[in-house]
Every structure is written in structure tokens, then in C-alpha cells.
Amino acid sequence: MRQLLPPRTDPGAPVDLDVAYAVAVPDPGRHHVRVNFVTSVDGAAEVGGRSGALGGVGDREIFQRLRWLCDVILVGSGTARAENYGAVKVPPERQAAREAAGQAPVPPVAVVSGRLTLDPTARLFTSDGPRPIVVTCENAPADRRAALAGVADVVTAGTDTVDTRAAVEALAARGLTRVLCEGGPSLHADLAVAGLIDELCLTISPLVAGPDRTHITAGRQWTDTEQLDLAHVLEQDGTLFLRYRHPHR
Ligand SMILES: NC(=O)c1ccc[n+]([C@@H]2O[C@H](COP(=O)([O-])OP(=O)(O)OC[C@H]3O[C@@H](n4cnc5c(N)ncnc54)[C@H](OP(=O)(O)O)[C@@H]3O)[C@@H](O)[C@H]2O)c1
């Protein structure tokens, strides 16, 4: 992997992903929300309903590294289901480094679902790892909430749908201030509309996926565009790894 931007004095030097993707601990009462997506060059976020065909070796490496750096992984129920989420895997030496830095050895997964369409026997709730978190709303079906409370910590944020700001604040109140959102497009759009996103990490794979694919935002009407600042560009095997920051956060 090489760094294209910002330019380096030694362009061939290996890229230290811990440095390239470092996030400072947020100030008390604050949080940092990073979103990570992979797309084709024509903007597809899925092929055949999953993202796996889009990512290569470098994308998987960065995907994993971002997980090792965060306090919690936030996903919508559609992504948790489509990608068959399980507990996060962190190697022992990284777990030790996380603990030394005051983090839990393994970040939990928090799934956002208003209707609680999650199966309590799904891999996410049965694989070894930290207890998952389900983020839902007051008017979620009581029977499903009760079933999920047996396998996850259930957090309520919002009335008819999940209020994403209240959700991120509830996670921060648990000490989970560095949030890595792995999608999907609907949750991403909700976070963006709420003005919660601090940065977007985007992998662009050298593939054309064709028309009528899901993009990285979905399900929301947009009234304006949002400007981002480009922080870096990395490259490997024709795949670009872009880190964008929100200029005002
Ligand atoms: N390319 C990539 O990097 C990438 C990353 C992630 C996902 N994907 C792809 O995206 C597709 C899934 O898209 P998606 O839009 O369905 O995913 P999603 O955003 O993960 O899930 C949508 C679901 O999340 C819940 N949700 C999200 N925001 C909510 C809110 N504010 N309040 C209440 N519930 C909320 C709802 O669940 P309930 O219906 O349970 O209430 C909603 O139906 C898959 O094909 C997946 O492979 C691609």
C-alpha cells in the first residue's frame, strides 16, 4: 500500500495504518463518528446484496484496522443481516494494546433497529465476544424487545424511529465515544442528516458494477449537498482508500 496524498518525501515507505487512521480520544461529552464504506467506481455499495465482492486485500486490512481502533461498531439491522454479523475478532496483542490505552479488549457491535427485526439466534447474538447492543425506539414491539434483552443490552433512543443523535449520545455515555459505523446506506443517511458524521472512509475498487445498485446513502430525501475535506489517499492494486473529514466537526 502506498500513500498518494498528502505527498511524502519517501513515496515508497510503508504506510502505518494506525497513524493514517488515528483518532484522538474525544473531549468529555463529545463523540467521534467515522463511517466506512466500499464501492465500485460507479458507486455501487453492493453486488448481489452484499459488499464482499467489492473489497480486496487492502480493503479488508483497513476494515479490520478501523475496527481495532474504535470503541464500538454501529450498524443498521439490514447490514447485520445481509452480512451475517458476528462478534469482532481482535488478535491478542491488539487486545492488550487496547486495554493499555483504556479501551475494552474487543469493541462490541451495536445494531440499530426500530422494528426489532433481529433474530435472537443470529450469529451476532450467539458468537463469543462482548455482549452486543441493540439500539431501538420506545414504540418497538415489546415482545421482540423482551426476546432480544436476553441476548443483548437494549438501548432506547427515540420514539417511533431511532433518534441517531440520542443513540450516539447513549453509546458515549457508556464510554463508547469513538464510533465506527459500517453502514448500511439507510443508517448512513440518517447519521448524515442528523449532522453526526465526523469522517468518511471510502474504498473505491477498480470495478464497474452496473446500474440500479444500492449506493452508500439510501432512504432519505436530501435538500443540499455536503462538502467534505480530503485527508488522505492511499492506493493498492488499483484500489483507492480515501479518508474524508467533515470540515466543521
Ligand atoms: N459497501 C459497503 O461498504 C456496505 C456497507 C454496509 C452495507 N452494505 C450493503 O447495504 C445493504 C443494506 O442496506 P440497508 O440500507 O438495508 O442497511 P442498514 O442501514 O444497515 O439497515 C437498514 C435498517 O436499519 C434500521 N435502521 C436504520 N436507521 C434507523 C433509524 N434511524 N431508526 C430505526 N431503524 C433504523 C432499520 O431496521 P428495522 O427495519 O429492523 O427497523 C432499517 O430497515 C446490503 O446489501 C449491504 O451489503 C454495503
Side-chain angles (χ1 to χ4, degrees), residues 202-224:
L202 183 66
T203 296
I204 301 179
S205 290
L207 298 167
V208 179
D212 302 327
R213 302 271 185 207
T214 302
H215 288 193
I216 67 169
T217 52
R220 279 279 191 169
Q221 296 298 318
W222 292 73
T223 51
D224 214 343

Side-chain angles (χ1 to χ4, degrees), residues 38 45 49 76-79 83 112-115 117 162 182 184-187 190:
V38 58
S77 69
T79 297
E83 309 284 349
V112 175
S113 174
R115 298 178 298 146
T117 55
V162 172
E182 294 181 342
S186 305
L187 179 58
D190 284 355

Side-chain angles (χ1 to χ4, degrees), residues 19-43:
V19 174
Y21 288 97
V23 176
V25 178
D27 291 337
R30 305 295 301 261
H31 37 71
H32 180 275
V33 179
R34 166 189 271 168
V35 179
N36 185 32
F37 273 101
V38 58
T39 71
S40 63
V41 289
D42 53 345

